[in-house]
């Protein structure tokens, strides 16, 4: 029994390490890339909800669809009742499909809308005018928490996701080396714990993202790819999120790598494609503001 448990642990570690290496080096097969594309579309397929306020618009489309066949049947007499009914059904189907495609195309866009993008850019400009390094030590924690809350709001807009499905946190190295990390801050209003020391740093994907090559942002599409070890959470019994966006942070005072900002989402592949690029660009002022205070 003991040997079986050891073998199971070895298999889990082996799977985690294989996936970690592929993730860090972006060494994926063509089949894996196709699979990622498919599942990203599947999990992030836009939903269309019917609202009561939209019923007048729906009835107007029904009337429009029925008008042609009805007029032809009642006035000109060129259509039988059966033919008029078939014509009405065909016209209604075409109009409905066109309407659904229009609604779907409006919601499927991976890019944030221009007005909202402008708002967040101006928020970033405002942050850049504030001398973060001059913020009193007593106020820095609150300022970081507020910054992470803004980051969560930006992510919600970029991903077209609910704010409740997202969480942002700041994880920093502790001590002189890179062997210990502590989750120091979360977005304001988060009920998840902070101040936790992370002991098993080798299983922390954010740590590997920081230590690998450049300090560019990295995205985890689905934690389940990393097996049972990937599902562990540094502050909870089990991770309740599936995808993560990592942004390493470097102190503007010492130019030293300090840790990373993470934004996690319950939806798999939430940061896929252009969304990660947009999010990284919009978060740059938030990142710079935090880097001035760490």
């Amino acid at each position: 029994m003991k040997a079986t448990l050891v073998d199971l642990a070895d298999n889990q570690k082996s799977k985690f390490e294989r996936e970690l290496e592929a993730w860090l080096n972006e060494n994926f097969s063509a089949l894996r890339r196709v699979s990622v594309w498919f599942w990203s579309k599947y999990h992030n397929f836009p939903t269309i909800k019917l609202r009561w306020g939209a019923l007048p618009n729906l009835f107007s489309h029904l009337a429009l669809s029925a008008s042609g066949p009805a007029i032809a049947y009642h006035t000109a007499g060129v259509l039988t009742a059966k033919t008029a009914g078939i014509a009405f059904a065909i016209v209604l189907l075409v109009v409905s499909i066109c309407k659904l495609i229009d609604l779907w195309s409006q919601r499927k866009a991976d890019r944030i809308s221009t007005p909202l993008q402008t708002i967040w850019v101006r928020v970033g400009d405002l942050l850049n005018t504030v001398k973060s390094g001059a913020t009193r030590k007593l106020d820095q924690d609150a300022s970081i928490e507020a910054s992470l809350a803004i980051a969560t709001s930006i992510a919600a807009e970029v991903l077209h996701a609910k704010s409740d499905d997202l969480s942002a946190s700041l994880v920093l190295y502790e001590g002189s080396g890179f062997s210990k990390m502590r989750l120091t801050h979360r977005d304001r209003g988060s009920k998840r714990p902070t101040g936790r020391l992370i002991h098993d740093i080798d299983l922390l994907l954010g740590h590997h993202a920081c230590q690998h090559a450049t300090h560019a942002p990295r995205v985890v599409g689905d934690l389940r790819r990393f097996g049972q070890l990937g599902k562990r959470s540094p502050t909870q019994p089990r991770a309740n999120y599936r995808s993560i966006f990592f942004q390493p942070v470097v102190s503007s005072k010492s130019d030293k790598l300090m840790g990373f900002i993470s934004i996690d989402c319950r939806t798999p592949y939430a940061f896929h494609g252009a969304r990660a690029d947009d999010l990284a660009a919009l978060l740059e002022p938030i990142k710079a503001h935090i880097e001035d205070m760490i």
Side-chain angles (χ1 to χ4, degrees), residues 212-284:
H212 186 77
T214 65
H215 296 155
R218 299 191 72 91
V219 169
V220 173
D222 190 354
L223 277 177
R224 291 185 179 180
R225 289 280 188 177
F226 291 85
Q228 291 298 321
L229 295 181
K231 297 178 184 178
R232 291 185 180 179
S233 169
T235 61
Q236 301 177 100
R238 188 180 183 86
N240 61 352
Y241 45 85
R242 295 281 295 276
S243 55
I244 315 176
F245 174 93
F246 293 116
Q247 172 62 72
V249 289
V250 177
S251 172
S252 60
K253 302 171 186 176
S254 62
D255 200 31
K256 177 185 176 183
L257 175 66
M258 299 297 291
F260 62 87
I261 297 170
S262 73
I263 301 177
D264 56 63
C265 183
R266 294 179 182 178
T267 304
Y269 303 102
F271 304 95
H272 183 71
R275 292 177 174 183
D277 297 331
D278 285 348
L279 183 58
L282 292 172
L283 288 182
E284 188 59 33

Side-chain angles (χ1 to χ4, degrees), residues 22-289:
W23 175 64
L24 290 175
N25 298 310
E26 297 183 354
N27 185 22
F28 302 120
S29 65
L31 182 60
R32 171 70 177 274
R33 294 180 187 276
V34 171
S35 173
V36 168
W37 177 87
F38 172 81
W39 287 113
S40 67
K41 298 301 181 184
Y42 173 80
H43 288 291
N44 295 280
F45 194 84
T47 57
I48 300 173
K49 297 180 179 179
L50 180 63
R51 295 174 291 107
W52 289 109
L55 287 179
N57 182 265
L58 176 62
F59 289 141
S60 68
H61 281 288
L62 288 173
L64 178 64
S65 303
S67 60
I71 292 172
Y73 172 71
H74 285 290
T75 60
V78 295
L79 295 177
T80 64
K82 181 179 180 180
T83 305
I86 294 174
F88 162 69
I90 293 174
V91 174
L92 176 61
L93 179 62
V94 172
V95 171
S96 300
I97 290 175
C98 291
K99 184 66 176 177
L100 287 173
I101 291 175
D102 180 56
L103 291 172
W104 179 77
S105 64
Q106 292 177 21
R107 299 201 60 184
K108 81 176 276 292
D110 283 340
R111 301 271 176 172
I112 187 174
S113 67
T114 301
L116 284 173
Q117 187 172 12
T118 302
I119 290 172
W120 291 123
V121 168
R122 296 298 170 249
V123 169
D125 292 341
L126 177 62
L127 282 176
N128 284 335
T129 64
V130 178
K131 293 186 179 298
S132 307
T135 304
R136 293 188 308 164
K137 188 73 175 178
L138 186 65
D139 298 328
Q140 286 184 356
D141 287 341
S143 181
I144 292 175
E145 289 174 1
S147 299
L148 293 174
I150 294 174
T152 303
S153 298
I154 293 175
E157 293 295 339
V158 172
L159 307 180
H160 309 293
K162 297 178 181 178
S163 296
D164 292 342
D165 292 339
L166 296 161
S167 179
S169 57
L170 176 65
V171 183
L172 300 177
Y173 286 104
E174 191 165 270
S176 58
F178 299 109
S179 60
K180 295 180 182 179
M181 298 195 83
R182 186 180 295 275
L183 199 157
T184 59
H185 300 82
R186 288 197 186 276
D187 56 283
R188 181 168 294 174
S190 175
K191 296 180 181 179
R192 289 157 66 177
T194 59
R196 298 285 182 87
L197 184 64
I198 303 170
H199 297 282
D200 204 350
I201 197 172
D202 289 334
L203 298 179
L204 190 64
L205 296 176
H207 162 66
H208 292 286
C210 288
Q211 297 298 322
H212 186 77
T214 65
H215 296 155
R218 299 191 72 91
V219 169
V220 173
D222 190 354
L223 277 177
R224 291 185 179 180
R225 289 280 188 177
F226 291 85
Q228 291 298 321
L229 295 181
K231 297 178 184 178
R232 291 185 180 179
S233 169
T235 61
Q236 301 177 100
R238 188 180 183 86
N240 61 352
Y241 45 85
R242 295 281 295 276
S243 55
I244 315 176
F245 174 93
F246 293 116
Q247 172 62 72
V249 289
V250 177
S251 172
S252 60
K253 302 171 186 176
S254 62
D255 200 31
K256 177 185 176 183
L257 175 66
M258 299 297 291
F260 62 87
I261 297 170
S262 73
I263 301 177
D264 56 63
C265 183
R266 294 179 182 178
T267 304
Y269 303 102
F271 304 95
H272 183 71
R275 292 177 174 183
D277 297 331
D278 285 348
L279 183 58
L282 292 172
L283 288 182
E284 188 59 33
I286 305 292
K287 168 177 168 285
H289 183 68

